[in-house]
Amino acid sequence: MTQRIHKVIAAAGLASLRKAEAMIREGRVDVNGAPAVIGQRIDPDRDRIEVDGVVLPVTPGLEYHLVNKPPGIVSTAADTHGRATVVDLVGAAVRLWPVGRLDADSEGLIIVTNDGTLTHRLTHPRFAVPKTYVALVEGEPGAATIKALVGGVELEDGLATARTARIVDRRPGKTLLEIVMTEGRNREVRRMCDAVGHPVQRLVRTAIGELRDPELRPGTVRRMTIEEVRSLYEAAGAAWQDDDPAPGAEPP
């Protein structure tokens, strides 16, 4: 069913009806790569809307949840061993999946959604969306260790490189590191720290792009705002990509 575009923008929560019309007049809205016009009717199921060059997720039924994963919960939609999953924590009535993975022992922020486009953007290394981790490691790494993490650590599946790494705090026999990664290989941060001689005792993801929520307690979930979703699209490169899956389709 088609709807007037300014109503679709308003229904997404981005702006009021009047502000949405102003955005269209100012040339800030595109539909399928062409400038939108006042009164234009679109199909939210099929048409692609961009506001200020950033995709506007408006497909009916899309859901975005931010989960603070505690240890022991697995980052899959279902588990063959019967363990609780991040999708179980959300408890939605529609089919959802986690965006990327945190291993069972790790903690922190993970997105659960049914937006295939955003999932693809946040997990494909080509888009290089940063994820920030705080790692409590054994020992007292120094400048040489930080340089190695940023310069690249050779793992069995290839070179792994942190975008940034820094020492946050020191404790007797332990050190708190902040490590920013743009890949998401299996247990990558843990393996990197092992390789430089400082095994991880605790690992927490604290940010996905600019998305943070220090008030979200472990094991709890909240709905994401449209502004947060758009900020992630922007972090991943706003322009539409030819290999992007449809918003409601799980990426391969």
Side-chain angles (χ1 to χ4, degrees):
M1 180 181 297
T2 63
Q3 304 175 46
R4 295 193 186 277
I5 187 170
H6 68 288
K7 291 186 177 181
V8 174
I9 294 172
L14 184 62
S16 65
L17 288 171
R18 182 173 295 180
K19 180 63 175 176
E21 287 186 343
M23 289 176 170
I24 296 168
R25 291 192 184 95
E26 293 163 4
R28 297 168 57 190
V29 181
D30 290 341
V31 177
N32 300 326
V37 296
I38 295 294
Q40 181 174 353
R41 301 188 72 89
I42 67 160
D43 183 348
D45 281 317
R46 306 178 67 176
D47 293 317
R48 185 180 74 251
I49 304 171
E50 296 176 30
V51 178
D52 297 327
V54 182
V55 175
L56 180 66
V58 294
T59 303
L62 290 183
E63 293 191 13
Y64 305 87
H65 304 267
L66 185 64
V67 179
N68 187 344
K69 187 188 93 63
I73 302 294
V74 295
S75 301
T76 57
D79 184 67
T80 55
H81 300 290
R83 293 173 295 181
T85 73
V86 290
V87 175
D88 293 332
L89 291 178
V90 174
V94 299
R95 180 171 174 268
L96 303 174
W97 55 80
V99 178
R101 290 193 177 187
L102 286 172
D103 63 76
D105 294 334
S106 297
E107 309 165 49
L109 300 183
I110 188 166
I111 295 167
V112 174
T113 185
N114 53 358
D115 185 339
T117 304
L118 185 63
T119 303
H120 174 64
R121 298 283 188 95
L122 293 182
T123 55
H124 197 293
R126 170 162 59 96
F127 297 101
V129 177
K131 287 89 175 177
T132 304
Y133 300 84
V134 172
L136 181 65
V137 302
E138 295 179 10
E140 299 180 0
T145 299
I146 298 301
K147 184 177 180 180
L149 292 171
V150 175
V153 178
E154 193 64 47
L155 303 177
E156 62 270 21
D157 53 353
L159 192 69
T161 304
R163 174 178 285 188
T164 64
R166 67 185 182 94
I167 296 170
V168 176
D169 191 19
R170 291 196 187 276
R171 305 171 187 177
K174 303 177 183 179
T175 302
L176 202 61
L177 301 179
E178 182 187 80
I179 302 173
V180 179
M181 304 292 298
T182 56
E183 288 188 302
R185 284 187 266 169
N186 184 43
R187 300 178 69 86
E188 188 172 23
V189 174
R190 291 181 182 274
R191 292 188 291 137
M192 290 174 69
C193 291
D194 281 343
V196 297
H198 297 282
V200 171
Q201 295 185 341
R202 185 183 180 192
L203 184 65
V204 182
R205 183 194 282 163
T206 58
I208 303 167
E210 296 299 319
L211 177 61
R212 299 174 181 266
D213 190 345
E215 303 301 319
L216 191 65
R217 292 175 288 105
T220 61
V221 181
R222 70 164 174 82
R223 289 265 191 167
M224 292 170 57
T225 68
I226 188 67
E227 290 83 4
E228 289 172 333
V229 175
R230 278 172 50 81
S231 76
L232 292 173
Y233 267 105
E234 191 166 17
W240 188 260
Q241 305 289 325
D242 289 339
D243 61 347
D244 275 331
E250 186 171 2

